[in-house]
Amino acid sequence: MRITITGRNIDLTQGLKDAVEEKLSKLEKYFKPDTDVYVTLSVEKERQKIEVTIPTKGHVIRSEQVSSDMYVSIDLVEEVIERQLRKYRTKLSSKKIAAAELFAPEFLEADDPEDDEEVKIVRTKRFGMKPMYPEDACIQMELTGHDFFVFRNAETDEVNVVYKRKGNTYGLIEPEF
C-alpha cells in the first residue's frame, strides 16, 4: 500500500508517521500493493483527529476518528476500517469484477463468520417533496430534529439533501450527472 500522510496544525514527527504506517500496514492483507491510502492528521483545540481515505473503483472506504491522544485515534481508525472491510466482504466478493482490481484474492475468498451480517432495511418512509431553497430545508431539518433532510431544490428542480456537520454547520448534497 502507498500511504500518503499530511498534517494540519500539527508537526508530523517521525514517530507519528511510523505509528500510522505500522497500524495501517495491518490492512495490507486486504488490498493489493498498488493501493493508495490518504491519511490526514489534524489538531483542533484538544481534539486529535485522523482521517483515512482509501479510494476504490466506484467506492470510497473512509474513517475519521477523534480523541484527546493522536495515538489512540490512530488505533481506532485502523480497527474501524478493518471492521468495515470484514462486514462488507460478501458484498465486495459478489461484485468480483470491480473488487478483484483492488482487493487481495485471499481477503475476498476467506470465510469469516462476521460476513453473515446483512444490511436490513427495517422501515420505509414516503413523503411528498415540495420545492424549497436549501436554507429553508435546513430550517425544516432542525424542526424535525433529524441530521439530514431530503428535498426538491426550488432553483434546480433536482432532489438534494442537506445534512448537519460538526461545528453547527450544514452541508448540501447535489446529484451529478
Side-chain angles (χ1 to χ4, degrees):
M1 291 180 358
R2 295 184 300 248
I3 301 173
T4 305
I5 304 171
T6 57
R8 279 191 226 136
N9 301 329
I10 188 171
D11 183 27
L12 286 178
T13 64
Q14 192 58 44
L16 275 176
K17 289 178 183 177
D18 291 345
V20 168
E21 289 178 7
E22 179 186 335
K23 266 299 178 184
L24 295 183
S25 69
K26 293 180 180 180
L27 300 174
E28 285 182 344
K29 62 186 173 190
Y30 300 109
F31 296 99
K32 290 194 172 178
D34 62 343
T35 302
D36 290 313
V37 178
Y38 301 100
V39 179
T40 304
L41 305 174
S42 61
V43 176
E44 300 166 1
K45 296 181 184 173
E46 297 298 315
R47 299 168 21 136
Q48 310 280 320
K49 181 166 80 170
I50 180 171
E51 300 171 52
V52 176
T53 305
I54 306 169
T56 65
K57 196 168 194 169
H59 299 288
V60 174
I61 299 165
R62 184 178 187 287
S63 180
E64 175 182 309
Q65 296 298 315
V66 179
S67 73
S68 59
D69 181 359
M70 186 59 79
Y71 293 98
V72 171
S73 296
I74 293 168
D75 290 345
L76 290 172
V77 81
E78 183 270 330
E79 292 170 11
V80 168
I81 289 177
E82 196 164 15
R83 196 172 334 121
Q84 288 173 347
L85 290 170
R86 277 183 297 184
K87 184 174 181 179
Y88 293 110
R89 178 192 341 244
T90 54
K91 282 133 188 85
L92 292 170
S93 60
S94 68
K95 298 176 179 154
K96 278 198 191 271
I97 298 169
E101 295 176 14
L102 182 70
F103 295 100
E106 302 82 33
F107 167 60
L108 293 174
E109 296 165 4
D111 192 27
D112 192 338
E114 287 187 36
D115 286 350
D116 295 337
E117 292 182 32
E118 281 188 34
V119 175
K120 295 179 185 172
I121 298 173
V122 295
R123 183 174 179 209
T124 301
K125 190 173 184 179
R126 297 181 188 276
F127 59 96
M129 287 193 291
K130 66 177 186 173
M132 62 177 65
Y133 293 97
E135 294 79 13
D136 298 330
C138 290
I139 293 168
Q140 190 65 40
M141 175 183 64
E142 290 294 337
L143 291 172
T144 59
H146 291 137
D147 294 330
F148 68 93
F149 188 77
V150 180
F151 68 102
R152 182 168 300 281
N153 192 320
E155 297 169 337
T156 62
D157 201 40
E158 293 178 336
V159 174
N160 289 182
V161 177
V162 289
Y163 61 96
K164 194 172 234 176
R165 296 176 47 94
K166 293 176 184 169
N168 284 336
T169 59
Y170 300 96
L172 174 67
I173 300 174
E174 298 178 309
E176 187 177 275
F177 297 104

